[in-house]
Amino acid sequence: MSDLLYSEEEEALRAAVRDLLTDHCDAPGVIARAESDTPHHRALWKALTDGMGLAGLLVPEELDGQGATHREAAVVLEELGRAVAPVPYLTSAVVATEALLACRADDLLRALAAGTTIGALAVALNVAPGAAHRTVRQENGLLHGELTGIADAAVADVLLVPADDGRLYAVDATAATVTPQTSLDLTRPLATVTLDGARGTLLGDAEPAVARALRAGAGLLASEQLGLAEWTLTETVRYLKDRKQFNRPVGGFQALKHRLAQLWLEVVNLRAAARNAADALTTGEDADVAVTVAQAYAAPVAVHAAEEAVQLHGGIGMTWEHPAHLYLKRAKADSIAYGTAGAHREALARLVDLQAP
């Protein structure tokens, strides 16, 4: 049985990422970006990748990566979740990277590890691991078709596109038409990708690559949801200690103590599930079960934490200036990313032979 506690190296990584985010990713800045035409924080991405080498955590050292594990990537995602950082880390450094690792696409992996190239798997964000997804038509090496709901496609340099011949192709993003879609979570924008005779470079078989990528995405998304839930709980407790009503702190009222205690228990359980998923992806032991358990549990907790933050902050929690809405939107969007909690519960039932009546 692995030790799910954080190692000294993981805590050092957390401290470094948190310091960087404190300096570069404050809430007013994220809100301002969300309102603009360029929600992605390019300077922060450069600092995370150039400065810290975090885009290559899952890439082997012989391909110029860090040769780290999913546990380290999970720590990074916890911190990115705490800050609702508008960077394509989950989509490029985890999902696209895992698809390329399955295809052994060494040159592209080197480019993604360096952070100079951003990749996006052209599968809709709401597709669960193992579920059906849309493909494009392949004719004489040229790709035709439209794919919707692609997260972070607007900032991608290379798109990894599954085709109807069962293969995965790399397409230069400049050869595709990327049209922004209306997204609830403006910090992880969605887009429609249209290919009209774009040339694709064959990478390998699509099915194993997509399955591996989505499983890692779902498993590590739980760590992002954990970071988000922890931040909202901490900030809500802090606010209720400061806010006074009838000359006493609001947090002293029994009814609110009970709500916060319940939420704390949920967040602690989420940490256990998220850590277990990251560890299982690292070791490969029962990874499918660990990921589905984490995702079945994570979404309701993250949404609950964000809803409580908005409500318990009272009037200020309803304003655009306060960041609570960023966390609620991210939690809601994450709740359908890589499969809903319900879809994961159904998948878990199949995995452990507990079929519903």
Side-chain angles (χ1 to χ4, degrees):
M1 180 67 186
S2 299
D3 184 355
L4 298 185
L5 297 175
Y6 299 99
S7 67
E8 282 184 27
E9 292 82 1
E10 287 164 358
E11 288 294 6
L13 175 62
R14 176 195 307 288
V17 175
R18 189 174 296 188
D19 284 349
L20 182 70
L21 292 169
T22 302
D23 292 341
H24 291 276
C25 193
D26 62 335
V30 176
I31 293 170
R33 280 178 196 287
E35 291 180 294
S36 73
D37 293 335
T38 52
H40 290 99
H41 196 329
R42 293 276 194 168
L44 175 60
W45 178 250
K46 192 169 168 46
L48 287 166
T49 55
D50 263 13
M52 299 181 74
L54 296 182
L57 277 185
L58 298 179
V59 178
E61 289 181 34
E62 61 267 24
L63 297 177
D64 306 332
Q66 301 291 334
T69 72
H70 296 85
R71 288 177 61 127
E72 285 82 12
V75 169
V76 174
L77 278 162
E78 282 180 36
E79 292 306 310
L80 295 176
R82 283 179 64 89
V84 201
V87 290
Y89 190 83
L90 183 66
T91 46
S92 182
V94 175
V95 176
T97 296
E98 287 277 351
L100 292 172
L101 284 167
C103 296
R104 307 194 64 76
D106 292 359
D107 290 345
L108 260 179
L109 279 167
R110 284 192 175 91
L112 257 65
T116 50
T117 298
I118 295 171
L121 180 66
V123 172
L125 183 62
N126 66 326
V127 175
H133 57 85
R134 290 175 67 175
T135 58
V136 297
R137 195 173 81 257
Q138 191 273 134
E139 271 180 34
N140 306 321
L142 301 179
L143 303 172
H144 306 261
E146 183 178 276
L147 299 163
T148 57
I150 312 302
D152 293 331
V155 77
D157 302 296
V158 61
L159 299 163
L160 311 181
V161 182
D164 58 0
D165 62 354
R167 301 297 183 88
L168 190 68
Y169 293 87
V171 176
D172 189 318
T174 56
T177 304
V178 179
T179 313
Q181 289 179 248
T182 303
S183 312
L184 172 65
D185 174 15
L186 299 172
T187 61
R188 183 174 284 145
L190 305 178
T192 297
V193 172
T194 307
L195 301 174
D196 189 9
R199 185 162 297 284
T201 305
L202 177 62
L203 295 172
D205 289 338
E207 190 180 341
V210 171
R212 175 173 172 171
L214 295 185
R215 185 177 75 168
L220 294 185
L221 177 67
S223 291
E224 177 186 291
Q225 289 165 307
L226 168 62
L228 187 155
E230 283 190 321
W231 185 92
T232 49
L233 174 60
T234 303
E235 282 300 302
T236 305
V237 169
R238 192 175 64 79
Y239 177 77
L240 292 181
K241 283 180 176 176
D242 293 341
R243 177 89 167 86
K244 289 191 168 57
Q245 223 169 21
F246 309 116
N247 279 336
R248 58 182 284 196
V250 175
F253 292 105
Q254 191 76 4
L256 298 191
K257 283 183 180 179
H258 280 248
R259 283 167 69 169
L260 292 170
Q262 174 60 38
L263 191 55
W264 182 82
L265 281 173
E266 290 177 16
V267 172
V268 169
N269 289 335
L270 171 53
R271 185 184 300 119
R275 290 297 291 165
N276 187 48
D279 188 70
L281 286 167
T282 298
T283 62
E285 291 178 29
D286 284 335
D288 289 337
V289 171
V291 167
T292 49
V293 167
Q295 269 308 308
Y297 191 75
V301 174
V303 171
H304 182 211
E307 287 175 344
E308 290 286 71
V310 170
Q311 194 171 61
L312 295 177
H313 273 80
I316 193 173
M318 303 289 176
T319 64
W320 187 255
E321 290 74 22
H322 194 279
H325 65 91
L326 291 175
Y327 290 84
L328 181 58
K329 289 168 187 166
R330 173 65 71 90
K332 283 293 217 184
D334 281 356
S335 72
I336 58 169
Y338 306 116
T340 61
H344 283 283
R345 281 194 292 271
E346 285 180 23
L348 181 61
R350 289 194 295 275
L351 285 169
V352 298
D353 261 354
L354 277 177
Q355 298 300 345

